[in-house]
Amino acid sequence: MKIGFTARALVSACALGAAGMLALAPASASAHPGHDPDPPRGPRATPPPALLYRSGTQVRPHADAPALPRLSARSWLVADADSGEVLAAHEAHRPLPPASTLKTLFALTVLPTLPAGVPHTVRPEELAGIGPGSSLVGVAEGRTYRVADLWRGVFLSSGNDAVRVLAALNGGWRATAARMQEKARALGALDTRVLSPDGYDTPGQVSSAYDLAVFGRAGLRNADFARYCGTAEALFPGAGGRAYGIRNTNRLLTGADGVARYPGAIGVKNGYTTEAGNTLVAAARRGGRTLVVTVLNPRAGGGHAVYEEASALLDWGFGAAGRVEPVGSLDGRRARPGPGPSAVPVVAAAPPERRVGWAEACAIAGAAGMGAGAVSLVTRGRTE
């Protein structure tokens, strides 16, 4: 890994030039890109955290509150991302396999340590140990990537290959898992046990709807995390300086595969493994309010039920604002909880950027000489 390049170092490949035109790389000028500030303000008086440990569904509605939707997920939670108030939850602390939603914690842990513009040439040993059936973005040994490219591979394609390389740059697989565990504890996410940083099924590795909501909320307050998780489409470096298109596997963000895009969706991360089933941390903004929801392992409705149930929870949460009493707080178990300055936004400020549509991205790639086949959607692997 070469150190000494700026976070926005110029690269010569046409593919990366097109990616720069798309303005998808996080800006080095973003305020506190690796900072995880305390919540902007404390929640209203809430019941003790023990309420969220009770079995079944927890909600405290006013008389005019909308009814909760019928859900099949084994565990779920909906919270206000600004205040941290939990509006409703079902089995919030139930330990369950998280699948690739655990990559939210990976990003919170590793993003601050690696400058986005640093180039790195992948070594064969860095791709060793990827689990069978893993989702891949197409990282190749001997090829040089910027750290920002690898992060797009993590957030959009859920690439376990990209996670492997970033973990290697962070001190190794086991060291990264240990640091993730420390980060979880610092955030008050005490249900989470990290054994495989990419979220791959590993005996004993668990998280919870509560903890994953904590990670999603913290991520939205990190400028780079928020930028990556809210990116729908990007170009990824390929062989011979050619790029191919990748699309975010979070269908609420893209509206792909017959799933309706959720109005105001801003991220965060989906996942799937055999043991975990479908998992999702989703966030959306409406009318100045930002909600974060977690849905783990729906047991009815097919592979897209996780998106349908998350959409229903978001609809309910926006409709229930001000008409329910909180049942807990995402700050409830932090080692040193405390309100931060009220001026700090839920999603960290970032410089304005120009986004273009997918068709225009293809045109840009063509103008850069990448050829008709250079920009194409790729889907690899069986996990997300």
Side-chain angles (χ1 to χ4, degrees):
M1 182 169 111
K2 299 179 182 177
I3 305 296
F5 288 81
T6 66
R8 288 295 168 267
L10 293 177
V11 292
S12 59
C14 291
L16 295 183
M21 294 179 192
L22 283 167
L24 293 170
S28 59
S30 297
H32 310 296
H35 185 47
D36 172 30
D38 283 329
R41 58 176 179 270
R44 295 174 297 174
T46 60
L51 183 61
L52 289 178
Y53 284 95
R54 295 179 184 176
S55 61
T57 300
Q58 304 302 321
V59 62
R60 302 199 302 167
H62 297 173
D64 60 344
L68 277 167
R70 298 186 62 180
L71 306 172
S72 69
R74 296 178 70 186
S75 179
W76 55 262
L77 181 145
V78 54
D80 186 298
D82 188 12
S83 67
E85 293 173 350
V86 179
L87 306 183
H90 178 79
E91 306 287 351
H93 290 292
R94 183 175 185 172
L96 292 169
S100 284
T101 55
L102 193 64
K103 289 181 171 78
T104 55
L105 177 60
F106 174 75
L108 285 171
T109 305
V110 180
L111 263 172
T113 71
L114 302 174
V118 172
H120 174 70
T121 301
V122 176
R123 302 186 299 271
E125 60 269 23
E126 293 171 344
L127 295 176
I130 298 174
S134 288
S135 52
L136 307 172
V137 67
V139 175
E141 62 183 65
R143 192 172 298 160
T144 299
Y145 303 88
R146 291 181 303 161
V147 167
D149 297 322
L150 297 172
W151 280 119
R152 282 190 285 273
V154 171
F155 277 93
L156 276 69
S157 295
S158 205
N160 288 2
D161 47 357
V163 172
R164 286 275 169 176
V165 175
L166 290 167
L169 296 178
N170 186 58
W173 198 246
R174 292 184 179 180
T176 297
R179 290 168 188 165
M180 289 171 65
Q181 193 71 70
E182 293 173 2
K183 182 67 172 179
R185 295 296 180 264
L187 291 170
L190 307 182
D191 304 323
T192 299
R193 185 183 182 201
V194 182
L195 297 171
S196 183
D198 55 6
Y200 193 82
D201 281 339
T202 304
Q205 178 161 272
V206 294
S207 190
S208 67
Y210 180 95
D211 284 12
L212 292 168
V214 168
F215 304 151
R217 181 193 182 210
L220 292 176
R221 294 179 54 75
N222 177 302
D224 290 343
F225 185 112
R227 181 79 61 84
Y228 287 125
C229 81
T231 298
E233 295 162 336
L235 295 175
F236 192 79
R242 299 162 71 87
Y244 51 86
I246 56 176
R247 177 173 289 170
N248 202 311
T249 54
N250 178 359
R251 279 76 167 176
L252 290 190
L253 192 67
T254 64
D257 302 325
V259 176
R261 184 187 184 281
Y262 191 84
I266 56 174
V268 176
K269 188 72 189 75
N270 60 309
Y272 173 81
T273 64
T274 303
E275 294 298 320
N278 287 287
T279 61
L280 177 65
V281 181
R285 187 183 299 112
R286 183 184 300 172
R289 182 182 299 274
T290 302
L291 297 181
V292 58
V293 306
T294 310
V295 177
L296 300 180
N297 195 6
R299 291 162 291 174
H304 292 161
V306 71
Y307 300 107
E308 295 163 358
E309 297 194 8
S311 294
L313 274 177
L314 287 167
D315 286 344
W316 178 85
F318 286 119
R323 295 195 281 174
V324 296
E325 293 299 316
V327 295
S329 170
L330 296 181
D331 295 315
R333 301 191 304 177
R334 292 195 70 157
R336 290 185 295 176
S342 58
V344 176
V346 173
V347 179
E353 62 182 32
R354 177 178 177 268
R355 292 185 179 274
V356 299
W358 189 243
E360 187 176 350
C362 294
I364 291 171
M370 287 185 271
V375 182
S376 59
L377 295 178
V378 290
T379 55
R380 297 184 175 95
R382 297 186 298 278
T383 64
E384 294 178 349

